[in-house]
Amino acid sequence: MKATVFQRSRRHLLALLGAQPLLALAQPAAWPTRPVRLIVPNAPASSVDTIGRIVANQLAQPLHQPVVVDNRAGAAGALGVEVGRMAAPDGYSLIVASSSSMSVAPLLQKAVTYDPLNDFDFVSLMAVLPNVLVCHPARAVRNTAELIAWAKSRDGKTNMASAGVGSVSHLAGIALQSAAGFESLHVPYKGGSQGVASVVSGETDWVLTPAPAALGLVQSGRLRLLGHSMGVEAHPLGPVPSIGETVRGFEFSSWIGLMAPKGLLPSVADTLRQALTVALQQPAVRESFEANGAVPATDTGQEFRVWVERDIALNRKAIKVAGVQPE
């Protein structure tokens, strides 16, 4: 059976930690000798920024240098990624990449000038963020199967909210409809909070949205949680089942990872992966990730590249089904 990214990640973590003490980077190396810049292509307080800052705070110790977050928001992450692409490949400018900036923006924005697979060096995944399927508590559905059956019985007369055309919640929702064979009217809003709020108010029926946008409302009883978008082997939300248990093979989650401008020395990439492994093992990081609905994950550069290739393919298919044209 092919190993999942989480099984590989666990083996990778154990291999690295088994080969050296937890803080094995105790002796300063040739790199880094000065502060490292972490380019975050998103606004402060966004999920990508939050995860980036959590990791940056913990990377400083094993690297023996400050790690400074540099927010370069704009164009759904494309602006900051381009800044990173043009930086020197010396390891002192790194990119907090995401599914939005690497898997979606190049497909939907004609102005994007970078190639996500060929213009960067892949260091490692950092986190996977499941999308969660939620509905209004008054709806007569309690799980994914019942939502699908209910939507089919209403012959398309149900509404799916999203954060806007081409957003994660839009493409994830379209992917679910395509895989499960039902239709809901897409109702786009200006941002994730408005889309989720429409489900809370009953204006729309359901949304498949990044976990941080909905978990607080689930806990307060204002939304009902039906499933998550990670694989059936993953349990990011305890007993909450994967959508894939009902819709076989369905996976559509967001991710955040570490990339560098093309030309990074392999030795620097290895040092970064070791430091990231150390950082993600810290209890404070795991607690912060859990609070933000994120699952820590590390892998090799090649495994990370394969992950991104698969994600681009999933988003390309969803964009085609949705009929969204690049602008």
Side-chain angles (χ1 to χ4, degrees):
M1 182 179 295
K2 186 177 180 181
T4 67
V5 67
F6 302 100
Q7 291 168 337
R8 294 196 307 269
S9 175
R10 183 174 183 273
R11 290 202 298 266
H12 184 63
L13 286 168
L14 293 175
L16 283 173
L17 295 175
Q20 56 188 18
L22 185 60
L23 296 178
L25 303 178
Q27 297 299 319
W31 179 93
T33 59
R34 55 186 171 87
V36 175
R37 177 174 65 148
L38 209 58
I39 300 170
V40 174
N42 303 79
S46 64
S47 59
V48 178
D49 174 74
T50 299
I51 296 300
R53 288 180 183 276
I54 292 169
V55 173
N57 289 337
Q58 294 295 330
L59 280 176
Q61 183 178 1
L63 291 179
H64 301 284
Q65 290 290 341
V67 178
V68 181
V69 172
D70 181 9
N71 290 94
R72 297 295 187 98
L79 177 62
V81 171
E82 180 62 18
V83 170
R85 184 179 76 86
M86 298 300 292
D90 54 11
Y92 291 102
S93 291
L94 305 170
I95 306 159
V96 180
S98 70
S99 43
S100 176
S101 62
M102 291 294 181
S103 302
V104 178
L107 298 176
L108 292 181
Q109 297 183 40
K110 292 181 179 179
V112 168
T113 56
Y114 56 83
D115 183 328
L117 296 175
N118 297 311
D119 287 348
F120 306 92
D121 279 331
F122 292 76
V123 179
S124 175
L125 269 173
M126 297 194 300
V128 178
L129 288 80
N131 294 306
V132 291
L133 181 60
V134 294
C135 70
H136 191 280
R139 300 292 182 264
V141 297
R142 295 190 174 277
N143 53 51
T144 300
E146 290 183 3
L147 175 71
I148 294 169
W150 177 70
K152 287 181 176 180
S153 72
R154 292 180 60 83
D155 195 25
K157 296 178 181 178
T158 56
N159 297 323
M160 178 197 81
S162 85
V165 174
S167 65
V168 169
S169 50
H170 178 205
L171 299 182
I174 291 296
L176 176 60
Q177 291 184 57
S178 177
F182 73 98
E183 293 183 2
S184 282
L185 176 66
H186 174 219
V187 184
Y189 289 83
K190 294 182 179 179
S193 59
Q194 291 185 30
V196 172
S198 75
V199 181
V200 172
S201 69
E203 185 174 286
T204 58
D205 297 307
W206 64 276
V207 65
L208 183 54
T209 187
L215 289 183
L217 293 165
V218 170
Q219 292 166 0
S220 66
R222 301 174 71 188
L223 287 175
R224 177 176 293 148
L225 179 56
L226 307 177
H228 66 79
S229 66
M230 291 174 67
V232 295
E233 79 288 342
H235 303 282
L237 303 172
V240 178
S242 167
I243 295 170
E245 292 183 16
T246 299
V247 184
R248 187 174 180 181
F250 183 83
E251 287 187 55
F252 207 106
S253 296
S254 300
W255 57 267
I256 299 172
L258 197 60
M259 291 186 180
K262 193 72 173 180
L264 186 69
L265 288 174
S267 60
V268 174
D270 288 342
T271 299
L272 278 168
R273 273 190 287 272
Q274 291 173 22
L276 184 61
T277 298
V278 170
L280 294 182
Q281 285 293 299
Q282 303 310 307
V285 171
R286 292 189 170 273
E287 290 173 8
S288 296
F289 270 39
E290 183 176 350
N292 286 279
V295 178
T298 60
D299 53 9
T300 67
Q302 180 57 32
E303 289 169 341
F304 184 20
R305 180 188 174 88
V306 170
W307 175 276
V308 176
E309 288 175 342
R310 173 185 173 277
D311 195 52
I312 290 173
L314 285 173
N315 280 283
R316 180 179 284 113
K317 180 179 179 180
I319 287 168
K320 183 178 181 179
V321 171
V324 181
Q325 297 298 317
E327 297 182 354

